[in-house]
Amino acid sequence: MRISLLILFITLFSLSGRCAASTMELPAGLWEGISEDEFMFRLLQINENGEHSLFEIVILGGLKKMRRTSFTNDDIVCIENRCTIKTIIENGVTRTITLSPNLESDLQVLESSYKGKESYVSYTYQLIKQEAKSTPRKFLEKRGQLIANAEQNTTEHPFGTWIGVMQYLDRPELALLQLNEDEQGSLRVYRKGSKTFNEVQSSFSANNISIDGKVIEIEASHTTFASKIMLFVQTDNMISGFTYAIHKGHPVATGAITLHRIKPAQAQ
């Protein structure tokens, strides 16, 4: 019996050693995520041919500004449970992106920039595998006209179209708020990682908007997503707050939200 247990222990130890020695690889595909510190979409494209790209898409202003950084297999180093991508961006600044597995199809990212011995900034965010078009592309295809219309709208603050990030189901997601003085408005959230255009919407009438100084309260229609919206004016172009739904008299599905106003074209 002791001999059998010893053989089993040696076998398990050998297997665990092999697992620990395995090296992470970055399979071909597209990952997408949101860096909340910068209000930036990150798209990581790994290709079979060894030519890869990192896309940075600015959420403020309606996903119109983008920077693409190219890199190759030579810029990727993988050891054990992480891979590091090293690229050079503008003004000779080096950027390292360290990725490690998080859940089944997610990657946890630590991104740092430095020049020589001088460190600049570091960000952390998650990347989710996307099997179809990226969320920014689907958003612009389906809702780009809303952004264009907002740029022609000269309504008085705080009314207008606002875009930003909301914590929804424990993840930062793209959010769009239409706050109208005389028409129906809505709060929309767009889920990352979905193959289809995944839009969750809670609508409200102009009569259900209450504005008291710098506090905006909204009673919305969706019973499980953002039936209550509480916002606080930070600046003329920024509002933040939280949303929640009421279930059996108790608040549920709470989510922090920060939004920036889409400015009229003549004011940009």
Side-chain angles (χ1 to χ4, degrees), residues 1-244:
M1 180 66 177
R2 291 181 178 178
I3 294 176
S4 298
L5 289 175
L6 179 60
I7 293 173
L8 177 61
F9 176 79
I10 293 173
T11 302
L12 291 175
F13 182 81
S14 176
L15 289 173
S16 65
R18 291 177 187 175
C19 292
S22 63
T23 300
M24 177 182 170
E25 295 181 357
L26 285 179
L30 173 66
W31 279 264
E32 59 182 10
I34 292 177
S35 173
E36 295 180 80
D37 294 324
E38 303 172 285
F39 279 84
M40 190 91 69
F41 248 102
R42 293 286 204 278
L43 304 179
L44 178 65
Q45 179 70 60
I46 302 297
N47 297 315
E48 294 281 3
N49 63 6
E51 301 289 334
H52 319 298
S53 298
L54 176 71
F55 299 90
E56 300 162 272
I57 306 172
V58 180
I59 293 175
L60 308 188
L63 304 173
K64 290 187 174 183
K65 296 180 180 179
M66 183 193 75
R67 178 172 68 182
R68 175 177 177 265
T69 302
S70 300
F71 60 97
T72 68
N73 287 342
D74 294 336
D75 302 310
I76 305 174
V77 175
C78 294
I79 57 171
E80 297 180 353
N81 66 337
R82 63 187 182 275
C83 290
T84 299
I85 302 168
K86 182 178 289 187
T87 63
I88 303 296
I89 53 180
E90 69 272 6
N91 300 320
V93 175
T94 299
R95 174 169 58 192
T96 62
I97 302 170
T98 301
L99 308 103
S100 56
N102 181 56
L103 303 178
E104 291 185 3
S105 59
D106 295 0
L107 295 171
Q108 187 69 36
V109 182
L110 171 62
E111 179 179 316
S112 301
S113 298
Y114 58 91
K115 185 175 183 179
K117 296 182 179 180
E118 184 177 358
S119 178
Y120 286 95
V121 291
S122 294
Y123 304 109
T124 59
Y125 51 91
Q126 288 185 3
L127 291 174
I128 301 170
K129 190 68 180 297
Q130 173 58 268
E131 301 290 353
K133 293 180 182 179
S134 70
T135 297
R137 175 173 291 189
K138 287 182 288 196
F139 172 82
L140 290 174
E141 288 177 352
K142 298 288 187 179
R143 297 291 177 253
Q145 190 58 47
L146 291 179
I147 302 300
N149 292 343
E151 292 177 341
Q152 305 305 317
N153 197 334
T154 57
T155 55
E156 293 296 324
H157 184 276
F159 299 104
T161 299
W162 301 73
I163 193 168
V165 177
M166 176 180 168
Q167 288 291 330
Y168 180 60
L169 300 180
D170 297 324
R171 280 179 171 169
E173 304 287 6
L174 179 66
L176 186 73
L177 174 69
Q178 288 183 279
L179 195 61
N180 302 320
E181 187 172 7
D182 301 314
E183 301 176 6
Q184 178 174 283
S186 66
L187 174 65
R188 296 180 169 100
V189 167
Y190 304 89
R191 303 295 311 279
K192 299 186 303 297
S194 298
K195 290 185 179 180
T196 59
F197 181 62
N198 192 337
E199 178 183 75
V200 184
Q201 177 175 323
S202 189
S203 302
F204 50 86
S205 69
N207 294 331
N208 288 330
I209 302 172
S210 173
I211 300 177
D212 183 6
K214 293 188 175 183
V215 179
I216 305 169
E217 294 184 67
I218 303 172
E219 299 276 346
S221 62
H222 203 293
T223 57
T224 59
F225 158 68
S227 60
K228 306 284 185 179
I229 305 170
M230 178 75 74
L231 300 169
F232 304 93
V233 176
Q234 306 297 334
T235 68
D236 286 348
N237 297 310
M238 177 181 172
I239 54 179
S240 64
F242 56 91
T243 71
Y244 60 95

